[in-house]
Amino acid sequence: MEELLVYALLLYEGFPLEEEYQKFLDDLFVKNPTDDVLLELEFMSGSLKESIIYIRTHFDYNNFNHQIFGRMLMEKIKVCYDSTELKQFAEKMYMLWESLPGNIQEEAPFFILSYADDPLSWGDEEQTRKLYEDMLAYYN
């Protein structure tokens, strides 16, 4: 379920992952056809907005595997990092940090999302890149 939260957060922030999310959900449902949450999400497949809201409101934020969540989150945002202009990426990352569950916002590597763009304000792109690259490599 951690993976579904990753998709919900990234889709909420405008990452173009609709098709990937739907394929992941379909595959997960095929493996777990009796799961009520997955069944409900399958019924919502026509409304991405409803799916995102459902995942975010029905997720157990106090009992989830931060390692699975973090590893997948870093994997997905690395693709964006590699293909997006740094300033635009930084804006999305701060917004993503604000969307993270409160109980992990201050943990490594997630906390980096809250300040990695600061050096850009004085023109230090190199330091910002280092912060993001360290964050993205955290689980390696």
Side-chain angles (χ1 to χ4, degrees):
M1 295 307 250
E2 289 82 356
E3 296 92 342
L4 288 175
L5 181 60
V6 168
Y7 279 115
L9 293 172
L10 294 177
L11 288 165
Y12 180 78
E13 294 305 331
F15 285 74
L17 298 169
E18 293 88 353
E19 290 179 28
E20 187 178 323
Y21 159 74
Q22 194 59 54
K23 181 179 179 346
F24 180 82
L25 176 61
D26 292 345
D27 291 346
L28 197 56
F29 181 67
V30 167
K31 293 175 187 169
N32 305 287
T34 59
D35 188 304
D36 291 339
V37 171
L38 297 177
L39 178 62
E40 189 69 32
L41 288 169
E42 282 290 330
F43 282 132
M44 291 180 195
S45 63
S47 174
L48 190 59
K49 184 178 179 179
E50 280 184 42
S51 297
I52 292 168
I53 292 169
Y54 185 85
I55 293 166
R56 293 185 71 180
T57 57
H58 288 83
F59 192 81
D60 184 358
Y61 293 100
N62 294 317
N63 297 307
F64 75 104
N65 187 317
H66 300 184
Q67 294 290 318
I68 292 171
F69 173 81
R71 188 176 308 278
M72 182 176 178
L73 182 65
M74 294 307 136
E75 176 185 308
K76 297 296 178 196
I77 62 176
K78 180 161 182 8
V79 174
C80 184
Y81 176 76
D82 291 339
S83 63
T84 306
E85 189 267 324
L86 185 60
K87 185 174 180 172
Q88 184 181 18
F89 177 80
E91 289 169 3
K92 279 187 176 248
M93 292 304 99
Y94 185 78
M95 301 279 286
L96 176 61
W97 178 76
E98 289 184 322
S99 295
L100 289 175
N103 61 334
I104 67 167
Q105 283 183 326
E106 304 302 319
E107 291 182 11
F110 312 111
F111 187 63
I112 294 171
L113 293 169
S114 72
Y115 66 84
D117 63 335
D118 289 351
L120 289 178
S121 65
W122 59 83
D124 193 347
E125 184 175 306
E126 184 178 330
Q127 185 176 2
T128 293
R129 287 198 179 279
K130 172 134 179 49
L131 289 167
Y132 282 131
E133 289 167 8
D134 288 349
M135 177 193 71
L136 293 169
Y138 183 84
Y139 293 100
N140 296 345

